[in-house]
């Protein structure tokens, strides 16, 4: 769909789009657990569109609670510069963030940030692994500002970092500048 809003819903699956755009997804509760195998998995967002920045297209995902997703291949927003992933609480999940991200809290999660030129600010992590998502665009740069990382592993190459606090973290960066 396009020009849509999804709010105050409970999900045990994901949201996908092939040609949609201008979607606001907020104040929802996403909890995925396969009732047969009792394990966490499932793609949370698979957002794509044929629209561009010139069309004013975006996906905005904010103020959601997310638990139990394995979305390492999803969550892209077709490189729309106005797309946002903000103020979400993410627990026990694997996420690939393909949008500007700000104010999210991650606990016991694996987070991969896109190599595309998005900005990432005020992100907080507890017992998580943080890295870069290899989406084929190795010329991009990740900009991290005001991060707080506690008991985390940072496995990312070539980020630009400002005003960030790392506490009890392991940094694995053998071939890139940190």
């Amino acid at each position: 769909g396009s020009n849509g809003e999804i709010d105050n819903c409970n999900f045990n699956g994901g949201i996908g789009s092939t040609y949609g755009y201008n979607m606001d997804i907020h104040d929802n509760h996403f909890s995925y657990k396969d009732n047969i195998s009792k394990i966490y998995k499932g793609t949370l967002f698979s957002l794509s569109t044929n629209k561009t920045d010139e069309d004013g297209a975006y996906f905005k995902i904010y103020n959601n609670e997310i638990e139990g997703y394995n979305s390492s291949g999803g969550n892209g927003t077709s490189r729309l510069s106005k797309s946002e992933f903000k103020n979400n609480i993410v627990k026990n999940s694997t996420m690939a963030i393909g949008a500007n991200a700000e104010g999210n809290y991650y606990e016991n999660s694996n987070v991969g940030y896109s190599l595309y030129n998005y900005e990432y600010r005020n992100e907080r992590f507890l017992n998580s692994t943080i890295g870069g998502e290899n989406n084929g665009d190795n010329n991009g740069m990740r900009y991290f500002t005001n991060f707080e990382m506690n008991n985390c592993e940072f496995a990312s190459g070539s980020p630009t970092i400002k005003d960030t606090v790392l506490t009890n973290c392991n940094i694995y960066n053998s071939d890139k500048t940190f």
Side-chain angles (χ1 to χ4, degrees), residues 25 61-66 84-90 102-106:
I25 302 167
I61 302 165
Y62 54 96
N63 299 335
N64 297 289
E65 293 181 20
I66 299 164
E84 298 175 351
F85 188 80
K86 292 176 70 170
N87 301 320
N88 298 289
I89 297 171
V90 179
E102 183 175 356
N104 298 295
Y105 172 75
Y106 303 92

Side-chain angles (χ1 to χ4, degrees), residues 66-70 90-95 107-110:
I66 299 164
E67 183 168 14
Y69 284 83
N70 183 357
V90 179
K91 295 181 179 180
N92 304 309
S93 294
T94 297
M95 304 288 294
E107 184 176 317
N108 301 319
S109 294
N110 297 314

Side-chain angles (χ1 to χ4, degrees), residues 22-130:
N22 295 3
M23 299 173 103
D24 287 280
I25 302 167
H26 64 93
D27 298 297
N28 299 293
H29 185 262
F30 295 89
S31 180
Y32 188 92
K33 190 169 187 179
D34 185 316
N35 290 326
I36 296 171
S37 63
K38 306 294 185 208
I39 60 172
Y40 293 114
K41 60 183 181 179
T43 297
L44 177 56
F45 301 114
S46 182
L47 303 173
S48 183
T49 184
N50 59 353
K51 299 296 181 184
T52 65
D53 285 336
E54 289 77 28
D55 297 318
Y58 65 84
F59 294 96
K60 294 187 178 180
I61 302 165
Y62 54 96
N63 299 335
N64 297 289
E65 293 181 20
I66 299 164
E67 183 168 14
Y69 284 83
N70 183 357
S71 300
S72 59
N75 302 332
T77 59
S78 298
R79 297 186 179 171
L80 299 172
S81 65
K82 295 180 183 175
S83 290
E84 298 175 351
F85 188 80
K86 292 176 70 170
N87 301 320
N88 298 289
I89 297 171
V90 179
K91 295 181 179 180
N92 304 309
S93 294
T94 297
M95 304 288 294
I97 308 300
N100 296 301
E102 183 175 356
N104 298 295
Y105 172 75
Y106 303 92
E107 184 176 317
N108 301 319
S109 294
N110 297 314
V111 183
Y113 288 96
S114 174
L115 295 176
Y116 186 66
N117 290 333
Y118 293 118
E119 291 193 29
Y120 309 111
R121 295 182 178 168
N122 302 318
E123 300 279 81
R124 295 176 298 141
F125 302 87
L126 178 63
N127 301 324
S128 296
T129 300
I130 302 95

